[in-house]
Amino acid sequence: MATMTHGEASPDLFGQVPDRASVYEVSPRDGLQNEDAMIPLDGKRRLIAALVEAGLTRIEITSFVSPKWVPQLSDAEELARSIKPPPGVSFSALCPNARGLERALAVGLEEIAVFLSSSEAHNKANINKTIADTLSVFEEIVPPAREAGLRVRAYLSTVWGCPYEGDVDPKVALRISQQLLALGCYQVSLGDTIGVGNPRQTREIVRLFQGEMPSSSFALHLHDTRGTALANALVGLELGVRDFDASVGGVGGCPYAPGAAGNLATEDLVYLLHGMGVQTGIDLDKLILAGNVAEQVIGHPLPGKVHKAGPFRLRKARG
Ligand code: HMG
Ligand code: MG
């Protein structure tokens, strides 16, 4: 390891970062699916409205999964029918199968997200299928969804590690991602589902993917279970990744991944991006208000930091 001595030029700590990054907000889905309490419809609507007000333009509002598996989101139709995206804003929802697609089409959504894991054991626990069978289901739903005019995103979970199998080979994740893109998904969001990743691993994963596809074909979906999400996002950013998933207040987790908790908090990510000169189109002050709305609606304190600390502003000295 290089040691700094006095008089030496300090190395540039930061590489080039993009001028702009896009934030895909998952709190109404990834956040609320992991709460013990059923959040009333009106609370969900308030949260989504606060996110729109803050300038988020891509919001995952719910899931069309089995209500037996995720009862917290069993009001998906009612919610999607009762709140429409203003111009320039896109609402999406998780969709595991043909029934999910049918439900998404019936409420007029313009975007869905299919999802699977890069480890068999988590895929089985989460959607009760092998990876191969899940891809066969997606072969039956992604092309018709595209033909019906929907945009289709994909999630690939457990890329940094699986709660049941441990280490996951990133080459397996790459191969599955290529299949998802070939099916017609516009982007694969790579999930550190249980928040075990570290920056070195993130660099290896991002570089592996960039060797095979443009950076716009994948996003980073980082859970902050062990406090490494922002560090991993920064590595991605410096390598040229522009798409990040985040959840206001840091709420979230997969109910079928033991130990999964806390997404990267949107306000913490946006604070870092804006501070480094990376534009997002999001109003940080209003995002902080949205974090407060999330806390009120959910009914307990959330782990995000910036909605508690506030943005950095110089205070005038008294007298
Ligand atoms: P199954 O039990 O194997 O499937 O569930 P099934 O086809 O036998 O269906 C069982 C029952 O569910 C049937 O009803 C179906 O009609 C119904 P019954 O006959 O018993 O009355 N059903 C549905 N109902 C409504 N909408 C549907 C639907 N499909 C079946 N779409 C299934 C398979 C995939 C449905 C189930 O395992 C499931 O819903 N899993 C979802 C689990 C989930 O949502 N997990 C959290 C999201 S993933 C995540 O958080 C990770 C992510 O954030 C990225 C990351 O962090 O890595 C995305
Ligand atoms: Mg997640």
Side-chain angles (χ1 to χ4, degrees):
M1 196 170 71
T3 323
M4 289 283 297
T5 55
H6 290 291
E8 255 183 354
S10 58
D12 185 3
L13 286 178
F14 294 110
Q16 294 291 313
V17 291
D19 294 338
R20 222 183 150 75
S22 173
V23 180
Y24 181 93
E25 174 66 32
V26 296
S27 57
R29 190 279 303 171
D30 202 332
L32 303 189
Q33 74 182 12
N34 205 39
E35 289 299 313
D36 292 337
M38 299 284 284
I39 308 300
L41 189 69
D42 190 53
K44 295 180 179 181
R45 287 161 43 90
R46 274 182 63 207
L47 171 60
I48 295 165
L51 293 166
V52 169
E53 181 62 28
L56 283 147
T57 53
R58 302 165 72 208
I59 306 175
E60 198 162 82
I61 59 167
T62 188
S63 287
F64 292 106
V65 299
S66 163
K68 288 182 188 148
W69 283 63
V70 184
Q72 295 92 329
L73 305 183
S74 57
D75 58 2
E77 272 87 355
E78 221 181 332
L79 177 68
R81 284 206 172 96
S82 72
I83 182 160
K84 294 292 170 199
V89 176
S90 158
F91 287 169
S92 62
L94 283 195
C95 178
N97 54 20
R99 175 93 185 88
L101 174 59
E102 217 175 272
R103 294 172 64 198
L105 287 170
V107 298
L109 270 196
E110 289 173 358
E111 177 164 337
I112 55 166
V114 295
F115 59 105
L116 83 167
S117 310
S118 45
S119 53
E120 289 288 355
H122 181 257
N123 204 60
K124 177 78 181 160
N126 198 37
I127 42 181
N128 203 21
K129 280 183 188 58
T130 63
I131 292 173
D133 286 348
T134 309
L135 287 167
S136 302
V137 170
F138 294 170
E139 273 168 29
E140 285 163 22
I141 65 168
V142 177
R146 296 286 314 281
E147 277 156 32
L150 298 186
R151 281 160 57 83
V152 184
R153 199 176 193 240
Y155 282 104
L156 186 59
S157 292
T158 63
V159 176
W160 280 253
C162 171
Y164 306 105
E165 295 178 18
D167 291 344
V168 172
D169 181 354
K171 291 196 193 76
V172 172
L174 175 64
R175 185 180 46 75
I176 300 172
S177 300
Q178 287 168 324
Q179 287 172 275
L180 292 164
L181 294 171
L183 274 179
C185 298
Y186 74 87
Q187 186 172 69
V188 182
S189 180
L190 306 177
D192 184 5
T193 314
I194 52 169
V196 286
N198 63 64
R200 176 178 289 187
Q201 194 186 5
T202 303
R203 178 169 285 109
E204 283 166 14
I205 292 168
V206 168
R207 286 232 166 103
L208 176 71
F209 275 71
Q210 284 175 328
E212 301 293 330
M213 62 181 74
S215 300
S216 57
S217 294
F218 65 96
L220 300 183
H221 177 100
L222 302 163
H223 283 259
D224 198 31
T225 321
R226 292 169 180 79
T228 55
L230 203 50
N232 290 330
L234 178 59
V235 166
L237 187 72
E238 288 190 281
L239 291 173
V241 177
R242 288 162 187 253
D243 289 272
F244 297 90
D245 298 0
S247 177
V248 82
V251 61
C254 174
Y256 295 98
N263 272 283
L264 173 55
T266 316
E267 64 274 26
D268 297 0
L269 174 68
V270 169
Y271 177 81
L272 178 135
L273 291 172
H274 289 186
M276 291 179 72
V278 182
Q279 296 312 307
T280 63
I282 296 166
D283 181 323
L284 182 59
D285 288 321
K286 290 184 177 170
L287 184 59
I288 288 170
L289 293 178
N292 297 338
V293 170
E295 274 191 346
Q296 285 163 17
V297 161
I298 292 169
H300 62 76
L302 297 176
K305 294 189 173 54
V306 173
H307 82 270
K308 296 190 198 88
F312 176 58
R313 289 203 181 95
L314 291 179
R315 292 177 202 283
K316 285 196 180 139
R318 286 205 190 148

